[in-house]
Amino acid sequence: MEKTRVAIVGWGNVGRGTAEAVVSSPDFELAAVVRRNAEPAQQVVGHGWSAPAVTSLADTPDVVAALVCLPTRLTEAYEIDVLRSGVSVVDSFDIHGEALWAHRQALDAAAREGGAVAVTAAGWDPGTDSMVRCIMEALAPRGVTYTDFGPGMSMGHSVAARSVKGVADALSFTLPTGFGTHRRQVYVQLDGSRPFEAVAADIKSDPYFAHDDTHVTQVESAVDHHDTGHGVSLKRFGAAGTTGNQQMEWTMRVVNPAATGCCMLSALRAGLRQEPGAYTMAELPPAHMLPGSLESIVKRIV
Amino acid sequence: MEKTRVAIVGWGNVGRGTAEAVVSSPDFELAAVVRRNAEPAQQVVGHGWSAPAVTSLADTPDVVAALVCLPTRLTEAYEIDVLRSGVSVVDSFDIHGEALWAHRQALDAAAREGGAVAVTAAGWDPGTDSMVRCIMEALAPRGVTYTDFGPGMSMGHSVAARSVKGVADALSFTLPTGFGTHRRQVYVQLDGSRPFEAVAADIKSDPYFAHDDTHVTQVESAVDHHDTGHGVSLKRFGAAGTTGNQQMEWTMRVVNPAATGCCMLSALRAGLRQEPGAYTMAELPPAHMLPGSLESIVKRIV
């Protein structure tokens, strides 16, 4: 199978998960990893593979797409430049609603300008869960869908907590309290510059946490609580036409960065099969996410 | 919301379920029901609505699409004529693999010829389950997916059993025996023209039943066992990149014709948003299945 050359931008948990997805795939090749602080001739090394670390995407020729594994709030400015240069992008933007739509529209304009494709919010929520919520509503148009996350560490929320002044390290766990309600449990390790109460108040008022019951606990070492397992349950109780009692559920238990990396790569694969423009995962045909010909996919899995 | 005029072809369980889906939707209008034996000026009557019964789609002007609710083996010949006349179609063709691909390709040629759209295999399996299987493989590319149906009555298998000579009425139940294996339990009511043993042998050798452990039981009245409840469990145990122990499951308990009707209508809605040609459900973006603007869907559900 011919391989599409891609680069990974950012080398945190998601960057590493995405790299494993790329090197394990039959149809993609990891050309480079873009890191702010890469040194000349440096390599990033994984399980049985290595790839050049570079400081800029421009250092790597013939890259078709960039898997942008930066914190959500840094993605857009970076991606717009990349798209305008004709290179496609995928991100796992993790905010829903108005902010996501505005981001998609900004990427859409840049993607059309560059003749490239952008896939945004390509994680598992938003992402594959969004696809499943659409399928649930297609099956039972009237009703209620509940999304229950966890128990598990939220990468986006952990990054948000770490960005609060006075925090040396932090981990945020999402605990499902039933039918769409959650508790956030944040473990913070202080850097000594600010009192715990001030740090806890800032975390609780951050947009990532403000809408949930958030508990902040001071710990000696945040890393001692580190576990990348996560999960979700989506339930819908609804009616199809005039027929009630239609029930469906999606559950998942995964290593989070590995799942997110596969979502990003699968979404990119589907994106590269579309016209130039920007897409969320729910706007992509599920069969287009898999390697191989459409004929082979339909015969095997539909 | 402007309403798209559609007709339903066939007035069995699926036709009725599809009619309820159409009349409950905000964006479709039921123009007519096509029945072989419709009488002049006849109406079909549902819960709080009625629609003209006609003998031919040609009797109803301005129909954008036909929801073809005929037995699987009768769909293709009918649909090809309709597509060539420029009217779109959707069916719930219920055979997988080579036969499905051949059917899709036949419809694709006719749809392009007529400038129309065909969506095939738009039920819950093949159909929404196919979409979910793709999502599962996107999340965990290596691994095994198990599809367990039931307990519930299979409409396709019941129709197949009824078509055997000597059968007055029959119902086929699908019983999950774990990790992708099933038992078929067929209740047959004889018409007296052939011995039970001959009927049972013919059922067991039918392509619908030949690959499963099939038990055939003679009953006085098949209808006494009639229940339209059905369900499925899809499980995948797999690896994402080099990370194992990724687990996901989709479960559903539904009234089958109501769910199938909603699948057909949702698939048609998505199909009408695509270029002319034929599509299976896994080739359609999940968000395109829902009513309303893309912006409203992304903001609300993604």
Side-chain angles (χ1 to χ4, degrees):
Chain A
M1 207 175 279
E2 204 182 322
K3 298 207 175 194
T4 303
R5 277 167 66 82
V6 295
I8 289 172
V9 181
W11 198 239
N13 286 324
V14 175
R16 288 170 168 82
T18 304
E20 295 292 346
V22 172
V23 301
S24 303
S25 78
D27 52 347
F28 286 94
E29 179 188 342
L30 183 55
V33 173
V34 180
R35 304 182 65 178
R36 234 177 349 200
N37 54 358
E39 284 165 27
Q42 194 188 338
Q43 296 269 313
V44 293
V45 179
H47 297 289
W49 60 269
S50 65
V54 298
T55 54
S56 164
L57 202 57
D59 298 342
T60 308
D62 304 329
V63 163
V64 171
L67 296 136
V68 180
C69 306
L70 300 172
T72 282
R73 290 157 185 180
L74 301 180
T75 53
E76 189 169 301
Y78 185 85
E79 292 174 309
I80 282 175
D81 286 344
V82 172
L83 286 167
R84 283 183 180 149
S85 78
V87 173
S88 294
V89 301
V90 57
D91 68 43
S92 56
F93 192 86
D94 70 350
I95 309 174
H96 298 260
E98 298 280 348
L100 171 56
W101 179 254
H103 177 61
R104 179 201 178 282
Q105 294 305 85
L107 297 185
D108 192 58
R112 289 168 193 268
E113 205 180 314
V117 167
V119 184
T120 185
W124 51 272
D125 203 321
T128 47
D129 282 1
S130 315
M131 300 174 98
V132 171
R133 280 190 287 265
C134 290
I135 293 168
M136 287 178 162
E137 287 200 12
L139 277 159
R142 291 173 180 165
V144 180
T145 303
Y146 300 97
T147 302
D148 295 306
F149 297 111
M153 199 175 71
S154 163
M155 293 190 287
H157 288 80
S158 297
V159 169
R162 271 175 224 139
S163 73
V164 168
K165 203 161 168 279
V167 174
D169 195 7
L171 294 175
S172 175
F173 285 80
T174 306
L175 308 177
T177 46
F179 297 101
T181 62
H182 298 89
R183 191 158 68 233
R184 305 282 177 188
Q185 176 67 57
V186 186
Y187 296 99
V188 286
Q189 178 183 335
L190 300 183
D191 66 11
S193 68
R194 295 176 77 206
F196 170 71
E197 290 70 22
V199 167
D202 279 7
I203 290 171
K204 289 182 185 185
S205 64
D206 185 281
Y208 266 86
F209 296 98
H211 303 292
D212 292 315
D213 176 25
T214 299
H215 296 223
V216 184
T217 305
Q218 186 179 348
V219 295
E220 286 289 307
S221 165
V223 78
D224 286 353
H225 300 280
H226 193 276
D227 164 39
T228 55
H230 212 322
V232 73
S233 154
L234 302 181
K235 288 192 194 78
R236 184 167 178 84
F237 301 92
T242 51
T243 303
N245 198 30
Q246 307 292 90
Q247 303 164 41
M248 48 214 79
E249 183 174 9
W250 164 259
T251 56
M252 192 178 83
R253 281 300 305 177
V254 292
V255 172
N256 194 353
T260 303
C262 281
C263 285
M264 289 183 72
L265 190 66
S266 300
L268 175 63
R269 186 183 287 117
L272 294 174
R273 289 165 166 167
Q274 314 305 313
E275 295 295 313
Y279 303 84
T280 61
M281 280 185 90
E283 297 166 63
L284 297 171
H288 291 198
M289 297 195 293
L290 308 184
S293 70
L294 182 63
E295 178 176 350
S296 71
I297 295 163
V298 170
K299 285 181 179 174
R300 183 174 65 79
I301 203 173
V302 168
Chain B
M1 208 175 278
E2 205 182 323
K3 298 206 174 195
T4 303
R5 278 167 66 81
V6 295
I8 289 172
V9 180
W11 198 237
N13 285 325
V14 175
R16 288 170 168 82
T18 304
E20 295 292 346
V22 172
V23 301
S24 304
S25 77
D27 52 346
F28 286 95
E29 180 188 341
L30 182 55
V33 174
V34 179
R35 304 182 65 177
R36 234 175 352 200
N37 53 357
E39 285 165 26
Q42 194 187 338
Q43 297 269 311
V44 294
V45 179
H47 297 288
W49 59 271
S50 65
V54 298
T55 54
S56 164
L57 202 56
D59 298 341
T60 308
D62 305 329
V63 162
V64 171
L67 295 135
V68 180
C69 305
L70 300 172
T72 283
R73 290 156 186 183
L74 302 181
T75 53
E76 189 168 302
Y78 184 86
E79 293 175 309
I80 282 175
D81 286 344
V82 172
L83 287 166
R84 283 183 181 150
S85 78
V87 173
S88 293
V89 301
V90 57
D91 69 42
S92 55
F93 193 86
D94 70 349
I95 309 173
H96 297 260
E98 298 281 347
L100 172 57
W101 180 253
H103 177 60
R104 180 201 178 281
Q105 294 304 88
L107 297 185
D108 192 58
R112 288 169 192 269
E113 205 180 314
V117 167
V119 184
T120 185
W124 52 270
D125 203 321
T128 47
D129 282 2
S130 315
M131 300 175 99
V132 171
R133 281 190 286 267
C134 291
I135 293 169
M136 287 177 161
E137 287 200 12
L139 276 160
R142 290 172 181 165
V144 181
T145 302
Y146 301 97
T147 302
D148 296 306
F149 296 112
M153 199 175 72
S154 163
M155 293 190 288
H157 288 80
S158 296
V159 169
R162 272 176 223 139
S163 73
V164 168
K165 202 160 168 281
V167 174
D169 195 8
L171 295 174
S172 175
F173 284 79
T174 306
L175 308 176
T177 47
F179 297 102
T181 62
H182 299 88
R183 190 159 68 232
R184 305 282 176 188
Q185 176 67 57
V186 186
Y187 296 99
V188 287
Q189 178 183 336
L190 300 183
D191 66 11
S193 68
R194 296 176 76 206
F196 170 71
E197 290 69 23
V199 167
D202 279 6
I203 290 172
K204 290 182 185 184
S205 65
D206 184 281
Y208 265 86
F209 295 99
H211 303 292
D212 293 313
D213 176 25
T214 299
H215 296 222
V216 184
T217 305
Q218 184 179 349
V219 295
E220 287 288 308
S221 165
V223 78
D224 286 353
H225 300 282
H226 193 276
D227 163 39
T228 55
H230 212 322
V232 71
S233 154
L234 303 179
K235 287 191 195 78
R236 185 167 179 85
F237 302 91
T242 52
T243 302
N245 198 31
Q246 307 292 89
Q247 304 164 42
M248 50 215 77
E249 183 173 10
W250 164 258
T251 56
M252 192 178 83
R253 280 301 306 176
V254 291
V255 171
N256 195 354
T260 302
C262 282
C263 285
M264 288 183 73
L265 189 66
S266 300
L268 175 62
R269 187 183 287 118
L272 293 175
R273 289 165 167 167
Q274 314 305 312
E275 295 295 313
Y279 303 84
T280 62
M281 279 186 89
E283 295 167 64
L284 296 172
H288 290 199
M289 296 195 292
L290 308 184
S293 70
L294 183 63
E295 178 176 351
S296 70
I297 295 164
V298 170
K299 286 181 179 174
R300 184 174 64 79
I301 203 172
V302 167

